Structure formats: C-alpha cells, structure tokens
Amino acid sequence: MARKIIIDTDPGQDDAVAILLALASPELEVLGITCVAGNVPLALTQRNARIVCELAGRPDMPVFAGATRPMVRSLVTAEYVHGKSGLNGPELWEPTMPLRKEHAVDFIVKTLRTNRDGAVTLCVLGPLTNIALALIKAPDIAGHIHEIVLMGGGCFEGGNTTPAAEFNIYVDPHAAKVVFSSGIPLVVMPLDLTHTTMTTRTRVSRFRALGNKAGVFTAEMLDFFERFDKEKYGSEGAPLHDPNVIAYLLQPEIYQGREVNIEIETESALTMGMSVVDWWRVSGRAPNATFMRKVDDEAFFDLLFDRIARL
Ligand code: BDR
Ligand code: CA
C-alpha cells in the first residue's frame, strides 16, 4: 500500500524537483500539496506548485494556499537564489488547474483527523508556518501524524542565510520552535546533508538527456539555480536540498543520522533561527529528532533520474 503524504512547500526549484520525485513514485500517495510563503511570496509559491503538478500530468492534485507570512516576523524571501518567479530557468506558463478554496491549514487538520491511524507523513520543504499553525489550531492532530520529514537547519555546516541560520528555519523560527517542541517524530535533512547532494554538469546533462518534458524542465531549472550557489560555494553546482525529504521516504537505507536534541533560537538577533543541535549529547536534553548527516549521493541522483524519466 502506498504511503500517504502531504507536501508542504514554497517552490523553489529544489522544491519542484522534490514534488516531481514524489508524483513519479508509486510508493507514495500524495494527498495534497500545501503552499507557504518562503522562497517567494505565497501568490507565486501556490502558482509554481500548480505548474509543477501540470508538468507531472497531475492537474487533479489538490493544491492549497496557506500562510502569507511567518507567525511573528516579517517575510524574508530568496529571489536572489530562485529568481523573481521562484522557478526561474524554464519558460513558465499560467496554470489552468484550480487552486483549492480551502486554507492549507484546514486541509492539513482535516486530513489528519480523517486518518487517525497515524498513516500520514508530513513532508516539509519550506518554512514551518503552516505546520505550526495547524498544531496550534488543532493540537489533537499531533498524535495522528506518522512523522514529519523536513528540510531545515544545520550544525557543523553553519547557516546559509546568516552565519548561524538555514533559510527555512530563519524565515519562521517561531513556527520551527512549535514543531521541534511538539513531540512528533521528526526526521531532519539539514545543510550538513544537503550540501553533499550537489548538482554537477554531468548530472544536469543527464536530466536533460532524459528527453521528456520533466527532465528538460528540471535541467533548465537547475541551470538557473546553480548560478548563485556556484559563486557562493565556489562549487561546480548547487546543493539540491528538498528532494532529500522525498528520497528518504523511498530509500531510507541510503541515509545515516543520529537521534539528537535540536532547539531553535528565537531571541538572539545575532543567531536568530539557529538550530542548536546537540550532536555530542552534552546538554542532557532528550532527543527530539533524527538529524541526517550522510547520504549516498550517487544513489540519490540515480533515484531522481529513474523517477523523473517516468513522468
Ligand atoms: C532551503 O531554502 C530554500 O531556498 C530551499 O528551497 C530549501 O528548502 C535551503 O536552505
Ligand atoms: Ca524549499
């Protein structure tokens, strides 16, 4: 039986690749895609999510708009990485599939209440605003979530938005705090891991050579996405962050991590949004997350090539 997931996202080229991977994988049943403000404002993230669904031949996929801004702080976006549209690179179109009228948070609450057997996994690829709002609105849902697999944070790798903070946590640290203190099983894909799943010329060419629309679209997105990171990291390509969340569900055996305590900084101006990871277990605080640190990057990209070729 396929594993039920909800994808919460702020596309974003790497979010788009993650969505394509999920929609191409029969092991997963995507119940809906909930959008949040993050890489670009909500009006664009919900549009981009629908473009990606149409690209994958899934105009039937329920797509919902959620929070327009973080819980407490003002919205910080990342057009400098993703371009003005959030999906710069390929030629985009105006999607014709509908945006559902229901609010993303209400969809999350309703879906978890109707799947009380703990069957639903939340896959979070952006700031945690929608998830925190759902937990605040309906605390009973915490007990019905199988686990939350999220991209966010970092430890030894530092931050990518400030010296201390990774983008998704930095944008809404208060929401992250709600989620990290919820007691729900968490699997975290931090920068320490995603900085090892790098695009290269060869890998981008392999996407293009798949020959289908999704492969060419992916290559064109990654061509653009790489620009900023190449300069920043002096690398051949860019870290492909968000698809790790979905790849983990499909091939958990290629990931290695450790149960640790992670607390989120919400007070210091200097380290706002820092994920304080107790890797050496020196705090005495109970572990609240599995922090992934290693992945077989060849297997990760082979999975992407194999699945995106099927679209
Ligand atoms: C995260 O921030 C976004 O820019 C990416 O989509 C990813 O989710 C990486 O820090
Ligand atoms: Ca993202």
Side-chain angles (χ1 to χ4, degrees):
M1 205 174 71
R3 183 164 174 180
K4 293 179 181 177
I5 66 170
I6 294 173
I7 302 178
D8 190 76
T9 178
D10 63 336
Q13 291 90 348
D14 61 325
D15 302 71
V17 178
I19 295 168
L20 291 175
L21 175 61
L23 295 181
S25 297
E27 302 92 328
L28 302 176
E29 183 189 352
V30 185
L31 301 177
I33 297 180
T34 54
C35 301
V36 68
N39 287 322
V40 286
L42 182 69
L44 290 172
T45 60
Q46 59 88 351
R47 182 196 71 145
N48 293 346
R50 288 183 295 133
I51 290 174
V52 175
C53 290
E54 289 186 356
L55 174 70
R58 293 296 307 275
D60 57 306
M61 179 58 55
V63 175
F64 304 86
T68 54
R69 67 162 183 83
M71 288 173 62
V72 178
R73 285 157 60 81
S74 308
L75 178 63
V76 175
T77 52
E79 285 86 356
Y80 57 94
V81 181
H82 302 273
K84 205 161 187 299
S85 70
L87 273 193
N88 277 34
E91 200 172 314
L92 301 176
W93 60 90
E94 206 43 50
T96 54
M97 66 179 277
L99 175 69
R100 298 292 168 117
K101 289 204 168 55
E102 192 177 13
H103 193 279
V105 171
D106 293 328
F107 170 75
I108 293 169
V109 170
K110 187 186 75 190
T111 306
L112 290 166
R113 281 182 173 160
T114 47
N115 287 274
R116 291 182 168 272
D117 49 351
V120 180
T121 295
L122 300 182
C123 299
V124 189
L125 315 178
L128 288 145
T129 320
N130 286 341
I131 311 304
L133 290 175
L135 290 169
I136 290 167
K137 183 169 187 187
D140 57 288
I141 62 172
H144 308 319
I145 299 171
H146 180 70
E147 65 183 355
I148 298 178
V149 186
L150 66 96
M151 190 281 136
C155 177
F156 302 100
E157 196 69 5
N160 63 355
T161 303
T162 72
E166 179 279 330
F167 181 78
N168 289 340
I169 309 283
Y170 180 75
V171 172
D172 199 340
H174 300 89
K177 200 178 187 91
V178 169
V179 172
F180 278 84
S181 58
S182 66
I184 299 163
L186 302 178
V187 178
V188 176
M189 300 292 166
L191 294 178
D192 304 70
L193 176 107
T194 64
H195 281 178
T196 69
T197 50
M198 303 290 287
T199 63
T200 61
R201 279 294 88 209
T202 315
R203 284 168 172 169
V204 175
S205 305
R206 274 191 71 182
F207 281 119
R208 191 171 280 109
L210 295 177
N212 60 351
K213 215 174 157 197
V216 174
F217 191 96
T218 300
E220 289 175 354
M221 285 196 296
L222 297 181
D223 278 340
F224 181 90
F225 184 57
E226 282 180 345
R227 285 185 206 173
F228 170 79
D229 282 328
K230 272 171 156 168
E231 206 171 301
K232 181 172 173 189
Y233 301 109
S235 53
E236 192 193 333
L240 201 48
H241 307 279
D242 293 339
N244 279 290
V245 168
I246 306 298
Y248 168 72
L249 299 183
L250 298 168
Q251 292 191 356
E253 66 281 1
I254 68 173
Y255 288 87
Q256 281 176 46
R258 187 191 272 208
E259 305 276 306
V260 294
N261 177 271
I262 304 177
E263 302 289 331
I264 307 297
E265 176 59 56
T266 55
E267 280 164 31
S268 154
L270 185 64
T271 58
M272 179 64 77
M274 181 175 182
S275 50
V276 180
V277 179
D278 185 7
W279 182 260
W280 301 114
R281 299 187 176 135
V282 291
S283 69
R285 294 189 287 261
N288 59 354
T290 305
F291 182 91
M292 291 299 175
R293 197 153 170 211
K294 285 205 176 115
V295 58
D296 176 344
D297 65 319
E298 292 294 341
F300 168 80
F301 276 96
D302 284 345
L303 177 67
L304 281 170
F305 299 137
D306 173 60
R307 296 306 166 92
I308 289 179
R310 299 184 190 184
L311 289 170

